[in-house]
Amino acid sequence: MTDPKTYLAPAEEKMEMAVAFLDESLAHIRAGKANPKILDGIRVDYYGSMAPISNVANVAVPDARTITITPWEKSMFKEIEKAIINSELGIMPENNGEIIRLSIPPLTEERRKNLVKQSKAEAEQAKISVRNARRDAIDGLKKAIKQGMPEDVEKDAEASVQKLHDKYLKQIDDLFAAKEKEILTV
């Protein structure tokens, strides 16, 4: 007889990963406030290898509308500026020789609505992943019945999978609601 945990554990792991991925994806969506995570996807040429900005400079947020980047080496100023300009960030860096300053402009109403749509799409992708994990676990449990698992054990395991599904969908909804509120707050 197979143990229901052999189907529940991977399903829960997939659901956790979907929520973690969503959290990471939402962190990269600019919400009008300065957030150093928007720089995570930008790579700079550091002596022949591509490295994230945080590996070659100190990134700080002195106020709600500014990100400051203090390179550890003077030679990195031009590389970091070039990487930011060439990225899809859409912000022009200001360099005073000591630090690079990024001023985050306030979002227009139309841009806010687009960002909410983008966030909703990310949340929907996470929900699909959670549903797929539930489906895979339930399919595995149904096959386990044919291999000798008692039906009542399978039904209990199915109920556990559904509880996990509901728990992670609620987490996804909470993450989206928080991001939506952050984007729409002027």
Side-chain angles (χ1 to χ4, degrees):
M1 181 180 102
T2 46
D3 184 25
K5 287 190 177 106
T6 57
Y7 302 102
L8 291 175
E12 184 168 18
E13 188 178 324
K14 286 179 187 172
M15 292 177 189
E16 274 180 25
M17 288 171 54
V19 171
F21 184 78
L22 173 66
D23 194 27
E24 187 67 26
S25 299
L26 291 180
H28 288 92
I29 295 176
R30 188 162 68 92
K33 289 191 179 86
N35 182 351
K37 281 194 174 188
I38 63 173
L39 299 175
D40 285 354
I42 301 174
R43 302 272 185 253
V44 293
D45 183 19
Y46 186 65
Y47 297 109
S49 66
M50 298 308 275
I53 289 178
S54 59
N55 286 9
V56 298
N58 186 28
V59 179
V61 182
D63 61 60
R65 294 251 181 251
T66 311
I67 297 174
T68 58
I69 304 166
T70 311
W72 295 328
E73 300 173 26
K74 292 274 187 214
S75 61
M76 292 309 297
F77 271 102
K78 288 214 179 336
E79 291 292 334
I80 292 172
E81 279 189 316
K82 189 167 68 173
I84 291 171
I85 291 169
N86 292 338
S87 74
E88 295 176 8
L89 203 56
I91 299 173
M92 197 66 186
E94 302 163 21
N95 175 356
N96 68 2
E98 296 290 318
I99 59 172
I100 297 170
R101 192 174 260 109
L102 299 176
S103 297
I104 310 295
L107 298 172
T108 63
E109 189 62 33
E110 181 182 338
R111 181 75 177 126
R112 286 179 195 281
K113 287 178 181 169
N114 287 342
L115 289 174
V116 169
K117 275 185 194 170
Q118 183 183 348
S119 300
K120 189 163 185 67
E122 295 282 352
E124 199 52 48
Q125 281 302 116
K127 285 181 179 183
I128 289 169
S129 297
V130 169
R131 290 182 191 120
N132 288 343
R134 176 188 61 178
R135 187 196 62 227
D136 294 346
I138 289 175
D139 289 349
L141 288 166
K142 292 209 184 300
K143 287 178 186 162
I145 286 182
K146 294 175 185 154
Q147 297 167 356
M149 180 187 282
E151 278 191 41
D152 59 334
V153 172
E154 186 267 344
K155 288 291 179 204
D156 291 344
E158 226 176 273
S160 297
V161 170
Q162 186 61 42
K163 281 182 187 164
L164 283 174
H165 168 266
D166 296 344
K167 172 183 151 189
Y168 285 104
L169 280 190
K170 182 173 179 355
Q171 285 183 7
I172 290 169
D173 288 339
D174 292 346
L175 281 172
F176 171 67
K179 187 63 177 185
E180 183 180 33
K181 183 178 180 213
E182 180 186 341
I183 290 171
L184 295 176
T185 302
V186 181

mmCIF file of all heavy atoms in Angstrom, residues 10-61:
data_model
loop_
_atom_site.group_PDB
_atom_site.id
_atom_site.type_symbol
_atom_site.label_atom_id
_atom_site.label_comp_id
_atom_site.label_asym_id
_atom_site.label_seq_id
_atom_site.Cartn_x
_atom_site.Cartn_y
_atom_site.Cartn_z
ATOM 1 N N PRO A 10 4.877 16.375 -2.276
ATOM 2 C CA PRO A 10 5.279 17.100 -3.497
ATOM 3 C C PRO A 10 4.269 18.174 -3.903
ATOM 4 O O PRO A 10 4.653 19.229 -4.409
ATOM 5 C CB PRO A 10 5.362 16.011 -4.573
ATOM 6 C CG PRO A 10 5.324 14.710 -3.866
ATOM 7 C CD PRO A 10 4.741 14.943 -2.521
ATOM 8 N N ALA A 11 2.983 17.894 -3.678
ATOM 9 C CA ALA A 11 1.959 18.884 -4.033
ATOM 10 C C ALA A 11 2.135 20.141 -3.194
ATOM 11 O O ALA A 11 2.093 21.266 -3.716
ATOM 12 C CB ALA A 11 0.564 18.301 -3.829
ATOM 13 N N GLU A 12 2.350 19.949 -1.879
ATOM 14 C CA GLU A 12 2.534 21.118 -1.012
ATOM 15 C C GLU A 12 3.800 21.878 -1.398
ATOM 16 O O GLU A 12 3.815 23.116 -1.419
ATOM 17 C CB GLU A 12 2.602 20.701 0.459
ATOM 18 C CG GLU A 12 2.699 21.905 1.376
ATOM 19 C CD GLU A 12 2.484 21.574 2.843
ATOM 20 O OE1 GLU A 12 2.581 20.414 3.236
ATOM 21 O OE2 GLU A 12 2.212 22.531 3.595
ATOM 22 N N GLU A 13 4.854 21.159 -1.749
ATOM 23 C CA GLU A 13 6.104 21.809 -2.144
ATOM 24 C C GLU A 13 5.891 22.656 -3.403
ATOM 25 O O GLU A 13 6.354 23.795 -3.485
ATOM 26 C CB GLU A 13 7.174 20.742 -2.399
ATOM 27 C CG GLU A 13 8.554 21.318 -2.625
ATOM 28 C CD GLU A 13 9.599 20.223 -2.819
ATOM 29 O OE1 GLU A 13 9.496 19.170 -2.177
ATOM 30 O OE2 GLU A 13 10.509 20.456 -3.636
ATOM 31 N N LYS A 14 5.157 22.106 -4.387
ATOM 32 C CA LYS A 14 4.878 22.857 -5.623
ATOM 33 C C LYS A 14 4.045 24.104 -5.318
ATOM 34 O O LYS A 14 4.266 25.165 -5.895
ATOM 35 C CB LYS A 14 4.137 21.975 -6.629
ATOM 36 C CG LYS A 14 5.005 20.930 -7.282
ATOM 37 C CD LYS A 14 4.181 20.083 -8.234
ATOM 38 C CE LYS A 14 4.968 18.918 -8.778
ATOM 39 N NZ LYS A 14 4.134 17.992 -9.536
ATOM 40 N N MET A 15 3.074 23.961 -4.407
ATOM 41 C CA MET A 15 2.225 25.105 -4.046
ATOM 42 C C MET A 15 3.049 26.179 -3.348
ATOM 43 O O MET A 15 2.890 27.375 -3.634
ATOM 44 C CB MET A 15 1.064 24.639 -3.165
ATOM 45 C CG MET A 15 0.060 23.776 -3.892
ATOM 46 S SD MET A 15 -1.227 23.197 -2.778
ATOM 47 C CE MET A 15 -2.085 22.015 -3.802
ATOM 48 N N GLU A 16 3.948 25.765 -2.445
ATOM 49 C CA GLU A 16 4.820 26.721 -1.756
ATOM 50 C C GLU A 16 5.698 27.462 -2.761
ATOM 51 O O GLU A 16 5.894 28.681 -2.655
ATOM 52 C CB GLU A 16 5.717 26.000 -0.742
ATOM 53 C CG GLU A 16 5.086 25.796 0.598
ATOM 54 C CD GLU A 16 6.022 25.080 1.571
ATOM 55 O OE1 GLU A 16 7.261 25.158 1.398
ATOM 56 O OE2 GLU A 16 5.501 24.456 2.492
ATOM 57 N N MET A 17 6.234 26.709 -3.717
ATOM 58 C CA MET A 17 7.095 27.331 -4.721
ATOM 59 C C MET A 17 6.318 28.326 -5.578
ATOM 60 O O MET A 17 6.854 29.379 -5.940
ATOM 61 C CB MET A 17 7.749 26.253 -5.592
ATOM 62 C CG MET A 17 8.827 25.477 -4.861
ATOM 63 S SD MET A 17 9.450 24.025 -5.733
ATOM 64 C CE MET A 17 9.937 24.660 -7.293
ATOM 65 N N ALA A 18 5.073 28.023 -5.887
ATOM 66 C CA ALA A 18 4.248 28.938 -6.682
ATOM 67 C C ALA A 18 4.036 30.254 -5.928
ATOM 68 O O ALA A 18 4.136 31.339 -6.511
ATOM 69 C CB ALA A 18 2.908 28.295 -7.014
ATOM 70 N N VAL A 19 3.763 30.155 -4.620
ATOM 71 C CA VAL A 19 3.554 31.361 -3.813
ATOM 72 C C VAL A 19 4.860 32.151 -3.694
ATOM 73 O O VAL A 19 4.870 33.379 -3.818
ATOM 74 C CB VAL A 19 2.983 30.991 -2.422
ATOM 75 C CG1 VAL A 19 2.973 32.197 -1.501
ATOM 76 C CG2 VAL A 19 1.573 30.427 -2.567
ATOM 77 N N ALA A 20 5.981 31.452 -3.489
ATOM 78 C CA ALA A 20 7.276 32.135 -3.375
ATOM 79 C C ALA A 20 7.632 32.843 -4.688
ATOM 80 O O ALA A 20 8.120 33.980 -4.681
ATOM 81 C CB ALA A 20 8.364 31.136 -3.000
ATOM 82 N N PHE A 21 7.347 32.182 -5.816
ATOM 83 C CA PHE A 21 7.635 32.783 -7.118
ATOM 84 C C PHE A 21 6.774 34.026 -7.341
ATOM 85 O O PHE A 21 7.245 35.042 -7.850
ATOM 86 C CB PHE A 21 7.411 31.761 -8.238
ATOM 87 C CG PHE A 21 7.767 32.281 -9.598
ATOM 88 C CD1 PHE A 21 9.099 32.341 -9.998
ATOM 89 C CD2 PHE A 21 6.789 32.729 -10.473
ATOM 90 C CE1 PHE A 21 9.435 32.831 -11.251
ATOM 91 C CE2 PHE A 21 7.119 33.231 -11.720
ATOM 92 C CZ PHE A 21 8.444 33.279 -12.113
ATOM 93 N N LEU A 22 5.509 33.925 -6.935
ATOM 94 C CA LEU A 22 4.616 35.084 -7.062
ATOM 95 C C LEU A 22 5.135 36.247 -6.222
ATOM 96 O O LEU A 22 5.172 37.388 -6.687
ATOM 97 C CB LEU A 22 3.197 34.717 -6.617
ATOM 98 C CG LEU A 22 2.213 35.902 -6.538
ATOM 99 C CD1 LEU A 22 1.953 36.476 -7.921
ATOM 100 C CD2 LEU A 22 0.919 35.486 -5.896
ATOM 101 N N ASP A 23 5.542 35.955 -4.999
ATOM 102 C CA ASP A 23 6.053 36.995 -4.114
ATOM 103 C C ASP A 23 7.252 37.690 -4.761
ATOM 104 O O ASP A 23 7.350 38.917 -4.763
ATOM 105 C CB ASP A 23 6.446 36.373 -2.767
ATOM 106 C CG ASP A 23 6.672 37.413 -1.688
ATOM 107 O OD1 ASP A 23 6.072 38.514 -1.764
ATOM 108 O OD2 ASP A 23 7.455 37.140 -0.754
ATOM 109 N N GLU A 24 8.137 36.908 -5.333
ATOM 110 C CA GLU A 24 9.316 37.456 -6.005
ATOM 111 C C GLU A 24 8.910 38.277 -7.232
ATOM 112 O O GLU A 24 9.427 39.367 -7.466
ATOM 113 C CB GLU A 24 10.237 36.299 -6.408
ATOM 114 C CG GLU A 24 11.561 36.728 -6.960
ATOM 115 C CD GLU A 24 12.467 37.399 -5.955
ATOM 116 O OE1 GLU A 24 12.342 37.148 -4.751
ATOM 117 O OE2 GLU A 24 13.311 38.203 -6.397
ATOM 118 N N SER A 25 7.958 37.762 -8.019
ATOM 119 C CA SER A 25 7.507 38.469 -9.223
ATOM 120 C C SER A 25 6.865 39.807 -8.876
ATOM 121 O O SER A 25 7.117 40.820 -9.534
ATOM 122 C CB SER A 25 6.491 37.632 -9.996
ATOM 123 O OG SER A 25 7.067 36.430 -10.419
ATOM 124 N N LEU A 26 6.035 39.819 -7.843
ATOM 125 C CA LEU A 26 5.361 41.060 -7.446
ATOM 126 C C LEU A 26 6.357 42.076 -6.901
ATOM 127 O O LEU A 26 6.158 43.282 -7.059
ATOM 128 C CB LEU A 26 4.273 40.769 -6.406
ATOM 129 C CG LEU A 26 3.054 39.991 -6.900
ATOM 130 C CD1 LEU A 26 2.061 39.772 -5.762
ATOM 131 C CD2 LEU A 26 2.381 40.676 -8.063
ATOM 132 N N ALA A 27 7.431 41.602 -6.289
ATOM 133 C CA ALA A 27 8.433 42.528 -5.748
ATOM 134 C C ALA A 27 9.119 43.303 -6.869
ATOM 135 O O ALA A 27 9.586 44.422 -6.651
ATOM 136 C CB ALA A 27 9.464 41.772 -4.923
ATOM 137 N N HIS A 28 9.172 42.719 -8.066
ATOM 138 C CA HIS A 28 9.837 43.389 -9.181
ATOM 139 C C HIS A 28 8.930 44.361 -9.926
ATOM 140 O O HIS A 28 9.386 45.064 -10.820
ATOM 141 C CB HIS A 28 10.406 42.350 -10.154
ATOM 142 C CG HIS A 28 11.595 41.641 -9.610
ATOM 143 N ND1 HIS A 28 11.503 40.464 -8.927
ATOM 144 C CD2 HIS A 28 12.907 41.961 -9.624
ATOM 145 C CE1 HIS A 28 12.693 40.084 -8.554
ATOM 146 N NE2 HIS A 28 13.570 40.976 -8.962
ATOM 147 N N ILE A 29 7.663 44.393 -9.577
ATOM 148 C CA ILE A 29 6.742 45.328 -10.231
ATOM 149 C C ILE A 29 6.818 46.657 -9.492
ATOM 150 O O ILE A 29 6.573 46.730 -8.296
ATOM 151 C CB ILE A 29 5.301 44.768 -10.238
ATOM 152 C CG1 ILE A 29 5.248 43.507 -11.114
ATOM 153 C CG2 ILE A 29 4.319 45.822 -10.759
ATOM 154 C CD1 ILE A 29 3.914 42.811 -11.112
ATOM 155 N N ARG A 30 7.165 47.701 -10.238
ATOM 156 C CA ARG A 30 7.365 49.028 -9.641
ATOM 157 C C ARG A 30 6.021 49.609 -9.212
ATOM 158 O O ARG A 30 5.073 49.626 -9.978
ATOM 159 C CB ARG A 30 8.025 49.943 -10.671
ATOM 160 C CG ARG A 30 8.458 51.273 -10.128
ATOM 161 C CD ARG A 30 9.461 51.897 -11.066
ATOM 162 N NE ARG A 30 8.904 52.281 -12.337
ATOM 163 C CZ ARG A 30 8.421 53.484 -12.594
ATOM 164 N NH1 ARG A 30 8.400 54.406 -11.669
ATOM 165 N NH2 ARG A 30 7.967 53.773 -13.788
ATOM 166 N N ALA A 31 5.960 50.079 -7.977
ATOM 167 C CA ALA A 31 4.688 50.574 -7.454
ATOM 168 C C ALA A 31 4.739 52.046 -7.067
ATOM 169 O O ALA A 31 4.009 52.481 -6.186
ATOM 170 C CB ALA A 31 4.270 49.738 -6.250
ATOM 171 N N GLY A 32 5.609 52.817 -7.693
ATOM 172 C CA GLY A 32 5.664 54.239 -7.391
ATOM 173 C C GLY A 32 6.540 54.578 -6.194
ATOM 174 O O GLY A 32 6.889 55.712 -5.979
ATOM 175 N N LYS A 33 6.885 53.550 -5.412
ATOM 176 C CA LYS A 33 7.772 53.760 -4.267
ATOM 177 C C LYS A 33 9.132 53.168 -4.627
ATOM 178 O O LYS A 33 9.218 52.204 -5.372
ATOM 179 C CB LYS A 33 7.229 53.032 -3.029
ATOM 180 C CG LYS A 33 5.991 53.655 -2.455
ATOM 181 C CD LYS A 33 5.693 53.023 -1.096
ATOM 182 C CE LYS A 33 4.481 53.628 -0.470
ATOM 183 N NZ LYS A 33 3.232 53.004 -0.901
ATOM 184 N N ALA A 34 10.166 53.728 -4.043
ATOM 185 C CA ALA A 34 11.511 53.218 -4.287
ATOM 186 C C ALA A 34 11.657 51.845 -3.633
ATOM 187 O O ALA A 34 11.386 51.679 -2.454
ATOM 188 C CB ALA A 34 12.544 54.189 -3.719
ATOM 189 N N ASN A 35 12.056 50.863 -4.432
ATOM 190 C CA ASN A 35 12.262 49.505 -3.934
ATOM 191 C C ASN A 35 13.518 48.964 -4.604
ATOM 192 O O ASN A 35 13.550 48.838 -5.827
ATOM 193 C CB ASN A 35 11.041 48.645 -4.269
ATOM 194 C CG ASN A 35 11.149 47.237 -3.751
ATOM 195 O OD1 ASN A 35 12.193 46.813 -3.270
ATOM 196 N ND2 ASN A 35 10.065 46.507 -3.852
ATOM 197 N N PRO A 36 14.549 48.635 -3.827
ATOM 198 C CA PRO A 36 15.796 48.178 -4.445
ATOM 199 C C PRO A 36 15.647 46.886 -5.251
ATOM 200 O O PRO A 36 16.480 46.584 -6.091
ATOM 201 C CB PRO A 36 16.748 47.984 -3.265
ATOM 202 C CG PRO A 36 15.906 47.986 -2.047
ATOM 203 C CD PRO A 36 14.653 48.706 -2.377
ATOM 204 N N LYS A 37 14.566 46.142 -5.040
ATOM 205 C CA LYS A 37 14.377 44.873 -5.771
ATOM 206 C C LYS A 37 14.144 45.102 -7.262
ATOM 207 O O LYS A 37 14.325 44.180 -8.052
ATOM 208 C CB LYS A 37 13.203 44.084 -5.186
ATOM 209 C CG LYS A 37 13.565 43.363 -3.920
ATOM 210 C CD LYS A 37 12.512 42.350 -3.577
ATOM 211 C CE LYS A 37 12.965 41.528 -2.384
ATOM 212 N NZ LYS A 37 12.071 40.421 -2.124
ATOM 213 N N ILE A 38 13.743 46.324 -7.661
ATOM 214 C CA ILE A 38 13.532 46.560 -9.095
ATOM 215 C C ILE A 38 14.859 46.495 -9.853
ATOM 216 O O ILE A 38 14.856 46.344 -11.062
ATOM 217 C CB ILE A 38 12.801 47.895 -9.386
ATOM 218 C CG1 ILE A 38 13.610 49.096 -8.919
ATOM 219 C CG2 ILE A 38 11.407 47.899 -8.803
ATOM 220 C CD1 ILE A 38 13.031 50.436 -9.325
ATOM 221 N N LEU A 39 15.986 46.569 -9.131
ATOM 222 C CA LEU A 39 17.305 46.503 -9.766
ATOM 223 C C LEU A 39 17.825 45.073 -9.862
ATOM 224 O O LEU A 39 18.858 44.835 -10.489
ATOM 225 C CB LEU A 39 18.314 47.343 -8.972
ATOM 226 C CG LEU A 39 18.026 48.841 -8.852
ATOM 227 C CD1 LEU A 39 19.034 49.503 -7.933
ATOM 228 C CD2 LEU A 39 18.043 49.496 -10.214
ATOM 229 N N ASP A 40 17.141 44.106 -9.252
ATOM 230 C CA ASP A 40 17.642 42.732 -9.190
ATOM 231 C C ASP A 40 17.876 42.114 -10.561
ATOM 232 O O ASP A 40 18.786 41.319 -10.732
ATOM 233 C CB ASP A 40 16.689 41.830 -8.390
ATOM 234 C CG ASP A 40 16.781 42.068 -6.893
ATOM 235 O OD1 ASP A 40 17.659 42.855 -6.470
ATOM 236 O OD2 ASP A 40 15.980 41.477 -6.156
ATOM 237 N N GLY A 41 17.044 42.447 -11.522
ATOM 238 C CA GLY A 41 17.179 41.844 -12.845
ATOM 239 C C GLY A 41 18.261 42.476 -13.706
ATOM 240 O O GLY A 41 18.593 41.964 -14.777
ATOM 241 N N ILE A 42 18.844 43.577 -13.255
ATOM 242 C CA ILE A 42 19.832 44.296 -14.056
ATOM 243 C C ILE A 42 21.226 43.745 -13.749
ATOM 244 O O ILE A 42 21.630 43.657 -12.595
ATOM 245 C CB ILE A 42 19.778 45.813 -13.779
ATOM 246 C CG1 ILE A 42 18.378 46.349 -14.093
ATOM 247 C CG2 ILE A 42 20.833 46.544 -14.600
ATOM 248 C CD1 ILE A 42 18.181 47.799 -13.711
ATOM 249 N N ARG A 43 21.947 43.377 -14.804
ATOM 250 C CA ARG A 43 23.296 42.828 -14.657
ATOM 251 C C ARG A 43 24.299 43.819 -15.246
ATOM 252 O O ARG A 43 24.031 44.473 -16.255
ATOM 253 C CB ARG A 43 23.427 41.493 -15.393
ATOM 254 C CG ARG A 43 22.429 40.454 -14.922
ATOM 255 C CD ARG A 43 23.002 39.688 -13.761
ATOM 256 N NE ARG A 43 22.154 38.597 -13.336
ATOM 257 C CZ ARG A 43 21.439 38.627 -12.220
ATOM 258 N NH1 ARG A 43 21.420 39.686 -11.470
ATOM 259 N NH2 ARG A 43 20.729 37.591 -11.848
ATOM 260 N N VAL A 44 25.477 43.908 -14.627
ATOM 261 C CA VAL A 44 26.546 44.773 -15.126
ATOM 262 C C VAL A 44 27.769 43.922 -15.431
ATOM 263 O O VAL A 44 27.974 42.873 -14.824
ATOM 264 C CB VAL A 44 26.918 45.888 -14.113
ATOM 265 C CG1 VAL A 44 25.793 46.869 -13.939
ATOM 266 C CG2 VAL A 44 27.333 45.326 -12.783
ATOM 267 N N ASP A 45 28.576 44.391 -16.382
ATOM 268 C CA ASP A 45 29.801 43.686 -16.744
ATOM 269 C C ASP A 45 30.848 43.986 -15.676
ATOM 270 O O ASP A 45 31.309 45.117 -15.548
ATOM 271 C CB ASP A 45 30.266 44.164 -18.124
ATOM 272 C CG ASP A 45 31.499 43.410 -18.594
ATOM 273 O OD1 ASP A 45 31.768 42.311 -18.055
ATOM 274 O OD2 ASP A 45 32.190 43.918 -19.493
ATOM 275 N N TYR A 46 31.214 42.966 -14.910
ATOM 276 C CA TYR A 46 32.190 43.138 -13.836
ATOM 277 C C TYR A 46 33.388 42.260 -14.143
ATOM 278 O O TYR A 46 33.370 41.054 -13.870
ATOM 279 C CB TYR A 46 31.554 42.777 -12.487
ATOM 280 C CG TYR A 46 32.434 43.051 -11.290
ATOM 281 C CD1 TYR A 46 32.794 44.347 -10.960
ATOM 282 C CD2 TYR A 46 32.901 42.013 -10.496
ATOM 283 C CE1 TYR A 46 33.586 44.611 -9.868
ATOM 284 C CE2 TYR A 46 33.687 42.262 -9.398
ATOM 285 C CZ TYR A 46 34.045 43.557 -9.086
ATOM 286 O OH TYR A 46 34.840 43.816 -7.997
ATOM 287 N N TYR A 47 34.394 42.851 -14.774
ATOM 288 C CA TYR A 47 35.612 42.139 -15.156
ATOM 289 C C TYR A 47 35.297 40.878 -15.958
ATOM 290 O O TYR A 47 35.781 39.785 -15.668
ATOM 291 C CB TYR A 47 36.467 41.799 -13.931
ATOM 292 C CG TYR A 47 36.962 43.027 -13.200
ATOM 293 C CD1 TYR A 47 36.458 43.361 -11.953
ATOM 294 C CD2 TYR A 47 37.906 43.871 -13.780
ATOM 295 C CE1 TYR A 47 36.892 44.495 -11.289
ATOM 296 C CE2 TYR A 47 38.342 45.003 -13.122
ATOM 297 C CZ TYR A 47 37.843 45.311 -11.884
ATOM 298 O OH TYR A 47 38.270 46.442 -11.234
ATOM 299 N N GLY A 48 34.438 41.012 -16.962
ATOM 300 C CA GLY A 48 34.160 39.917 -17.869
ATOM 301 C C GLY A 48 32.982 39.029 -17.504
ATOM 302 O O GLY A 48 32.549 38.226 -18.308
ATOM 303 N N SER A 49 32.452 39.141 -16.300
ATOM 304 C CA SER A 49 31.274 38.329 -15.952
ATOM 305 C C SER A 49 30.113 39.256 -15.607
ATOM 306 O O SER A 49 30.321 40.372 -15.133
ATOM 307 C CB SER A 49 31.581 37.397 -14.778
ATOM 308 O OG SER A 49 31.811 38.145 -13.605
ATOM 309 N N MET A 50 28.922 38.771 -15.873
ATOM 310 C CA MET A 50 27.737 39.574 -15.612
ATOM 311 C C MET A 50 27.312 39.372 -14.155
ATOM 312 O O MET A 50 27.064 38.238 -13.730
ATOM 313 C CB MET A 50 26.599 39.192 -16.555
ATOM 314 C CG MET A 50 26.934 39.437 -18.025
ATOM 315 S SD MET A 50 27.536 41.099 -18.355
ATOM 316 C CE MET A 50 26.002 41.961 -18.536
ATOM 317 N N ALA A 51 27.242 40.468 -13.400
ATOM 318 C CA ALA A 51 26.905 40.398 -11.978
ATOM 319 C C ALA A 51 25.755 41.354 -11.676
ATOM 320 O O ALA A 51 25.609 42.388 -12.327
ATOM 321 C CB ALA A 51 28.125 40.794 -11.135
ATOM 322 N N PRO A 52 24.910 41.015 -10.677
ATOM 323 C CA PRO A 52 23.849 41.951 -10.280
ATOM 324 C C PRO A 52 24.458 43.219 -9.672
ATOM 325 O O PRO A 52 25.557 43.185 -9.116
ATOM 326 C CB PRO A 52 23.036 41.179 -9.242
ATOM 327 C CG PRO A 52 23.703 39.880 -9.031
ATOM 328 C CD PRO A 52 24.881 39.779 -9.937
ATOM 329 N N ILE A 53 23.723 44.312 -9.766
ATOM 330 C CA ILE A 53 24.216 45.590 -9.247
ATOM 331 C C ILE A 53 24.560 45.480 -7.765
ATOM 332 O O ILE A 53 25.556 46.033 -7.300
ATOM 333 C CB ILE A 53 23.187 46.718 -9.495
ATOM 334 C CG1 ILE A 53 23.133 47.039 -10.991
ATOM 335 C CG2 ILE A 53 23.533 47.970 -8.699
ATOM 336 C CD1 ILE A 53 22.128 48.087 -11.380
ATOM 337 N N SER A 54 23.756 44.716 -7.014
ATOM 338 C CA SER A 54 24.002 44.597 -5.569
ATOM 339 C C SER A 54 25.324 43.914 -5.245
ATOM 340 O O SER A 54 25.816 44.012 -4.127
ATOM 341 C CB SER A 54 22.846 43.854 -4.898
ATOM 342 O OG SER A 54 22.718 42.569 -5.463
ATOM 343 N N ASN A 55 25.949 43.229 -6.236
ATOM 344 C CA ASN A 55 27.239 42.581 -6.012
ATOM 345 C C ASN A 55 28.419 43.514 -6.265
ATOM 346 O O ASN A 55 29.546 43.165 -5.918
ATOM 347 C CB ASN A 55 27.395 41.348 -6.900
ATOM 348 C CG ASN A 55 26.553 40.183 -6.442
ATOM 349 O OD1 ASN A 55 25.724 40.321 -5.553
ATOM 350 N ND2 ASN A 55 26.758 39.036 -7.060
ATOM 351 N N VAL A 56 28.168 44.663 -6.889
ATOM 352 C CA VAL A 56 29.267 45.575 -7.212
ATOM 353 C C VAL A 56 29.083 46.956 -6.585
ATOM 354 O O VAL A 56 29.929 47.827 -6.755
ATOM 355 C CB VAL A 56 29.450 45.724 -8.744
ATOM 356 C CG1 VAL A 56 29.814 44.398 -9.379
ATOM 357 C CG2 VAL A 56 28.214 46.298 -9.396
ATOM 358 N N ALA A 57 27.978 47.144 -5.871
ATOM 359 C CA ALA A 57 27.695 48.459 -5.295
ATOM 360 C C ALA A 57 26.769 48.316 -4.092
ATOM 361 O O ALA A 57 26.097 47.302 -3.924
ATOM 362 C CB ALA A 57 27.047 49.363 -6.335
ATOM 363 N N ASN A 58 26.747 49.358 -3.284
ATOM 364 C CA ASN A 58 25.825 49.418 -2.161
ATOM 365 C C ASN A 58 24.543 50.104 -2.642
ATOM 366 O O ASN A 58 24.596 51.214 -3.159
ATOM 367 C CB ASN A 58 26.469 50.208 -1.012
ATOM 368 C CG ASN A 58 25.643 50.185 0.232
ATOM 369 O OD1 ASN A 58 24.907 49.240 0.471
ATOM 370 N ND2 ASN A 58 25.758 51.237 1.029
ATOM 371 N N VAL A 59 23.405 49.421 -2.482
ATOM 372 C CA VAL A 59 22.122 49.970 -2.928
ATOM 373 C C VAL A 59 21.325 50.361 -1.686
ATOM 374 O O VAL A 59 21.147 49.544 -0.784
ATOM 375 C CB VAL A 59 21.335 48.938 -3.769
ATOM 376 C CG1 VAL A 59 20.001 49.507 -4.201
ATOM 377 C CG2 VAL A 59 22.154 48.511 -4.980
ATOM 378 N N ALA A 60 20.865 51.617 -1.635
ATOM 379 C CA ALA A 60 20.121 52.100 -0.464
ATOM 380 C C ALA A 60 18.886 52.874 -0.919
ATOM 381 O O ALA A 60 18.800 53.327 -2.059
ATOM 382 C CB ALA A 60 21.008 52.992 0.393
ATOM 383 N N VAL A 61 17.927 53.005 0.002
ATOM 384 C CA VAL A 61 16.703 53.760 -0.260
ATOM 385 C C VAL A 61 16.601 54.848 0.820
ATOM 386 O O VAL A 61 16.040 54.615 1.883
ATOM 387 C CB VAL A 61 15.461 52.846 -0.235
ATOM 388 C CG1 VAL A 61 14.212 53.642 -0.549
ATOM 389 C CG2 VAL A 61 15.618 51.700 -1.223
#
